[in-house]
Amino acid sequence: MGCFAAVKPHSPRLPDLTLVFVVLLTLAYFFLTHEGLYDLDDYFYSRYAHQLASGTFRVEPDPQGLLHDPLKERWLIFGPVALLYRLFGITIISTTLWPLLATLGCALVLWMTYRKREPVVAAGAMLLLGLHYFTLNLTNYLYPDNILMFWCLCCGVSLLRGREQLRRPVLWGVGFAVLNFAALLSKETIVYYLPFYLGVLALDMFRRRHGRFWLAAVGVGAALLGTYLAFYQVYTDDAFYRIHLIEHTNEFLKEGNFLEGNRAALLARLTYQPLAFLVGTGLGVALLLALAAALGRRRRQHPEADFWLALAATTLAFYWLGSTSLTHYNPITLIPRMTTPLLPPLCLAAGFGLRAFVRSPRQGYWLAAALLACAGWLHNSISVLYGGLALYFAVATWLARPVDSAAWRVPGTEGFAALALLALAAMLSIRPVYFMRKPSVSGHAAQQQVLAQHLRAPARGVVFVDDFLIGNYDFYYGYQVPPGLQFRRYAAADSVRRRPGEKAWLLVNASTLTNPELTRKLIRYSRADVLARFPRRRLVKQVGTVQLYGID
C-alpha cells in the first residue's frame, strides 16, 4: 500500500455533480411521495402560520390555562410558513416548502464550505446527509427537524470558520450567536451542541486564542437570550415559561416514558439500543466512515476532521445518554427525526473517513467486514445498503493498484474518488427511489380534489369523515370552512339529526383506512365497516381511492 499515489483529487467537478444529483433527487422525492399532513404537529404548525399570516395569532398563552403547547413557541418553524402563505396561499406545497428549502440549504452549505478545499469530503457528506432516507422523508412534512438540522450545520460551520478568521472575528462571533438563537427559535434540541461549545470555549480560553470571536459571540448571545427571557416575562409573567412548558409536557407524557411505564427497559436504552437503532436507520455507514476518520487521524488527517469528529461524538453522547427533562431523567426517544442535530457533524466526519479511504484504501477490508456484519445483523431490506457498500469496499481495495494502472484503480486520483462516490450514491438512492415508486398511502391529492369540486360553498349539510380527517379538514379549506358545512365522525352518524331537506355526504378514503401508520391506534374500522354503517348511499364522485357518496 505504501507505493500508492497520494494525489489529491482537487477538482470541484465531483461536489458540483453531487450537488446537482442530490438536489434533483430531493425534489423528485418531495413531489412524488408527498402525502399531505402527517400528524397533529404539522397541522398545529400550519394553523399557527395561518394565524400569523391573518393577524389572529395570540402571543400570550391561553388565558384559561387549558392549552399548553410547546410548538407555539417555535417561531422559526411557522413564521416563514406564514410568509409563504401570504405569497402563495395555503396549500400542502406552500406548507412544506420551508422544510424542503432547509434540506436543500444543508447540501448547499456543505458544497460552499468544502467544494474547493476538500471536494471528496463535500461530495461524501452531501450524499450521506442528503440521501439519508429520513432526511428526504422529513422534507414532506412541516416538522422542525430538518429546519433545525440546517441551523445546526450553519452553527458548526460558523464556529469552525469564525475561529480561523484573522479578519472580522467579531462579525463571525455575532453570526454564530444569531444562528444559535435561530436554532433555539426552531427547536430546543440545539442544546445537544452546548457541551461541545463549552469545551471549545474552555480550550480557547486556556490557550488564550480567539478572544474577540468569543467576546462577540457570548456578548450578543447573552443579549439575545436576555431579550428573549424578558419577552416571556412581559407576556407570561414567567421568564422561563418555555422551560416550564417543556417540563409540563414531560409530566403529562410521563406514563409512557422509561421512569413510569417502561423502567425495566432503561438499561437496554442506555447500552445497546441506540447503536441498534442507528444501524437500523441506515446511519451505520456514516458511523463506520467516521470511525475510519478517527482511526486514520494520525496519517496526514485534515485538522478539521477532529472538529467534526468531536462535535459528532459529543452530540451522539447527548443523544445516547441525555434527558428530555431537567427535573427527572428521561432518555430521548429513539425515533429517526430526533437524530437530525447529529447528522451534519457525523456526515462531515464520515466525509473525512471517505477521503482517507480514497487517498489510501488501507481500511477497506475492515470497512467491508463491518458493513457486511451490519447487513447480516439486520437481515432486512436495509441490508441491501450495507451489503452493496461492503462489496464495493472489498472490491475497490482488492483492485487498487500503483500509479501505472488505469486512473480509476489508483487511490488518490479523481477517478478512484468518483467511483467511491458513485457506489455511495447508488446504494443510498435505492430506498428513496423505492418509495418514490410506491402508491400513495394517504390519497391526499385525490381527497383534495373531491373536497374542492363537490364540498365547497355554497354547499350545505353534514359530511361524515374518518377519525384522521376530522382533526384537520379545515386545512383543506385554508382554515375557512364554508359556514354551511359540518364535519362529523362516522361514529356520530346515529346521533346527528338532520333538518328536513338537509344534505349529507359520506367521504371514504380507502388509503387512510388502510394506512399502517393510522390503523395501529387511530383507525379501528375497515372500508366495509364504514359502508355497512351507511347502507342508503349513492356514489357521487370517485377519484383514485377516494369516494364521495350522497346519503339518503
Side-chain angles (χ1 to χ4, degrees), residues 55-75:
T56 59
F57 183 82
R58 291 176 58 91
V59 176
E60 61 272 13
D62 179 65
Q64 297 181 350
L66 299 178
L67 179 63
H68 297 278
D69 184 11
L71 307 184
K72 188 179 180 182
E73 313 310 318
R74 296 172 177 176
W75 287 69

Side-chain angles (χ1 to χ4, degrees), residues 181 184 218-234 239:
F181 187 66
L184 180 64
V218 173
V220 173
L224 289 172
L225 188 59
T227 303
Y228 190 55
L229 296 178
F231 168 84
Y232 277 114
Q233 182 64 42
V234 170

Side-chain angles (χ1 to χ4, degrees), residues 187-208:
K187 194 176 181 181
E188 303 80 7
T189 43
I190 185 60
V191 73
Y192 287 18
Y193 281 18
L194 184 59
F196 180 75
Y197 292 164
L198 295 177
V200 175
L201 174 59
L203 182 63
D204 284 349
M205 289 180 62
F206 177 76
R207 296 178 177 177
R208 296 183 179 180

Side-chain angles (χ1 to χ4, degrees), residues 279 282-289 363-378 382-394 424:
V279 172
L283 287 177
V285 177
L287 286 171
L288 288 171
L289 286 172
Q363 300 170 324
Y365 287 128
W366 79 256
L367 278 172
L371 289 166
L372 196 60
C374 291
W377 181 24
L378 293 177
I382 309 298
S383 299
V384 176
L385 168 64
Y386 292 113
L389 287 176
L391 179 63
Y392 161 73
F393 281 109
L424 191 61

Side-chain angles (χ1 to χ4, degrees), residues 253-309:
L253 299 174
K254 70 179 181 180
E255 290 185 3
N257 68 22
F258 287 95
L259 297 179
E260 295 289 336
N262 201 18
R263 185 173 297 185
L266 183 60
L267 180 61
R269 168 60 183 83
L270 297 179
T271 52
Y272 70 88
Q273 278 187 355
L275 179 60
F277 162 74
L278 293 170
V279 172
T281 58
L283 287 177
V285 177
L287 286 171
L288 288 171
L289 286 172
L291 180 60
L295 295 176
R297 61 192 298 271
R298 294 183 179 180
R299 294 195 298 270
R300 292 177 295 176
Q301 179 65 283
H302 196 288
E304 292 183 8
D306 290 339
F307 177 91
W308 297 114
L309 280 167

Side-chain angles (χ1 to χ4, degrees), residues 146 312 419 503 542:
N146 279 19
L419 193 61
K503 291 185 177 181
Q542 177 168 350

